[in-house]
Amino acid sequence: MDFLEIIKYIDFEPFYLTFKLASLTTVILLIIGIPVAYFIAYSKSKFKSFFEAVIALPLVLPPSVLGFYLLLILSRNGFLGSFWEKYFGHQLAFHFEGILIASVIFSFPFMVHPLVSGFKSIDKSLIEASYTLGKSKLKTLFKVILPNIKPSILSGITLSFAHTVGEFGVVLMVGGSIDGETKVVSIAIYDAVEMLDYTSAHVYSAILFGFSFFILLVVYMFNSSGLGVKR
């Protein structure tokens, strides 16, 4: 097949679902991740190690294990799934909202860890100077700290997005393979291989491979250049 024939042959719905899922997951993670990372970086609470362990858990748990327990929670018999079905008319499992929740949980450390590193790298004299000038903690966060950790923020955004794009196990466990609802690109590749449709599998895989390499290259180039870091 030539390029035009391959393009006509490929279903682009999984790509739309994949990038929709990755975009929403990244936005939610950034909103939640900033206060969580701030707490971990600056808190002296004796429970900080416990929170760090909980956040890092998805890094060491097999996706099938995490996916299984999320499936139980998000199904109509689970407390969250039953609540959702009562008020929104359907369970969370095997629906887009379910894989969105699962992706947020599974990609959480990929957002939080770069942010924590960024917060810890800030010169404390900058923060103390801001407080001396009468700035509140919130204003100091948005006016001083966050502008000085742009590379860390970019790393968190990019890694979270890329990890969500490539996720397979958790999405399959929680969402299955439902066209137009939960069938993202990684699932489409699996289905294509199962049906011995290696042409589709090659195209899906090549596009994901190129995309993943590109965004990681952008992150490393950005961080190496030192852009966005104020001194």
Side-chain angles (χ1 to χ4, degrees):
M1 291 186 180
D2 60 28
F3 179 75
L4 291 178
E5 288 179 334
I6 291 175
I7 292 298
K8 293 178 181 178
Y9 186 72
I10 293 298
D11 177 16
F12 284 95
E13 182 70 24
F15 286 100
Y16 167 73
L17 283 175
T18 298
F19 291 112
K20 177 184 175 182
L21 176 65
S23 299
L24 290 174
T25 297
T26 303
V27 170
I28 294 170
L29 284 175
L30 183 62
I31 294 171
I32 300 173
I34 288 176
V36 171
Y38 183 91
F39 169 78
I40 292 174
Y42 299 127
S43 174
K44 296 180 180 179
S45 170
K46 60 182 179 181
F47 298 107
K48 186 172 75 170
S49 296
F50 172 80
F51 289 118
E52 287 181 293
V54 170
I55 291 168
L57 201 56
L59 294 175
V60 296
L61 270 182
S64 56
V65 173
L66 183 60
F68 172 69
Y69 285 112
L70 286 174
L71 178 61
L72 295 180
I73 294 170
L74 301 177
S75 67
R76 59 171 46 94
N77 294 321
F79 74 92
L80 191 54
S82 60
F83 169 84
W84 193 269
E85 185 171 37
K86 179 179 179 180
Y87 291 98
F88 296 96
H90 63 82
Q91 62 178 351
L92 284 166
F94 307 110
H95 286 82
F96 181 81
E97 296 89 344
I99 63 174
L100 176 60
I101 293 173
S103 297
V104 168
I105 294 172
F106 194 57
S107 296
F108 202 37
F110 291 89
M111 176 63 75
V112 172
H113 287 170
L115 291 177
V116 170
S117 297
F119 283 135
K120 289 183 176 180
S121 69
I122 292 292
D123 189 343
K124 291 184 178 180
S125 63
L126 291 175
I127 300 175
E128 292 170 356
S130 179
Y131 292 157
T132 301
L133 293 173
K135 302 295 183 181
S136 66
K137 287 187 177 182
L138 189 61
K139 284 188 175 180
T140 299
L141 173 64
F142 285 101
K143 298 293 185 179
V144 178
I145 299 176
L146 293 182
N148 279 280
I149 61 168
K150 288 180 182 178
S152 297
I153 295 173
L154 177 65
S155 294
I157 290 173
T158 308
L159 292 175
S160 299
F161 189 91
H163 185 256
T164 304
V165 166
E167 175 48 33
F168 171 75
V170 169
V171 173
L172 181 63
M173 290 289 290
V174 174
S177 179
I178 302 173
D179 289 333
E181 187 70 30
T182 63
K183 189 176 181 179
V184 295
V185 177
S186 58
I187 306 299
I189 294 171
Y190 175 80
D191 288 347
V193 173
E194 286 282 292
M195 294 185 293
L196 303 180
D197 182 5
Y198 293 125
T199 300
S200 296
H202 272 305
V203 175
Y204 287 139
S205 299
I207 293 173
L208 277 191
F209 182 90
F211 174 78
S212 300
F213 178 79
F214 173 75
I215 59 177
L216 288 176
L217 180 63
V218 169
V219 170
Y220 284 117
M221 290 177 64
F222 187 90
N223 286 343
S224 296
S225 69
L227 294 176
V229 180
K230 297 179 180 180
R231 299 295 182 188

